[in-house]
Amino acid sequence: MAVNLAEEIKEVEARSKETLKEAKNEAARLINDARSDAERQVKEARQKAFRNFREKIASVEKEAEDLAQKSVDAGKKKGETLSQQFGKKVPDTAKWIAEEVISRYGRG
């Protein structure tokens, strides 16, 4: 009976060692899987952040382009208005300036 008990203890110890070895292997596998998953999630998050950054830059550039075009259009309209408003006065003003210069300094 003592021999059977000693053998039984050895068998239980052997099974325990094997179970412990399997548990360590499973733990190592789980850690590696978790590490790989974390690295993948970080990579995806970086890619998503970069895509969002590019999209926001494109959006801001589009808004800036629209505002610039509106500003240019407004400037053209204002220029045309001023041209129409004062364009008729330019020949008279040029004639007056020429007359003033000639009267002060004489003809060259």
Side-chain angles (χ1 to χ4, degrees):
M1 188 141 193
V3 176
N4 288 341
L5 185 60
E7 287 178 18
E8 191 175 329
I9 291 172
K10 286 181 183 179
E11 287 177 17
V12 170
E13 285 178 349
R15 283 194 308 245
S16 296
K17 285 180 183 179
E18 187 62 32
T19 302
L20 182 62
K21 182 180 174 183
E22 289 174 6
K24 284 181 180 181
N25 290 339
E26 181 67 13
R29 188 189 63 77
L30 290 174
I31 288 170
N32 288 335
D33 288 349
R35 188 174 289 131
S36 296
D37 190 45
E39 289 172 357
R40 182 188 53 77
Q41 287 178 357
V42 167
K43 181 180 176 182
E44 288 174 359
R46 283 184 181 153
Q47 289 174 342
K48 185 177 180 180
F50 186 70
R51 276 193 304 273
N52 287 341
F53 178 71
R54 280 191 318 200
E55 289 170 3
K56 287 188 182 207
I57 285 178
S59 174
V60 168
E61 286 176 343
K62 176 73 171 126
E63 287 178 31
E65 189 175 310
D66 291 345
L67 286 173
Q69 188 60 46
K70 287 178 183 177
S71 180
V72 167
D73 292 343
K76 284 182 180 179
K77 282 184 181 180
K78 187 174 182 179
E80 289 172 5
T81 302
L82 289 174
S83 174
Q84 290 174 357
Q85 184 179 1
F86 296 110
K88 295 174 185 172
K89 295 181 181 181
V90 170
D92 294 338
T93 305
K95 183 179 176 186
W96 174 79
I97 290 172
E99 289 172 356
E100 286 294 314
V101 168
I102 290 172
S103 70
R104 284 191 187 183
Y105 302 107
R107 292 185 184 256

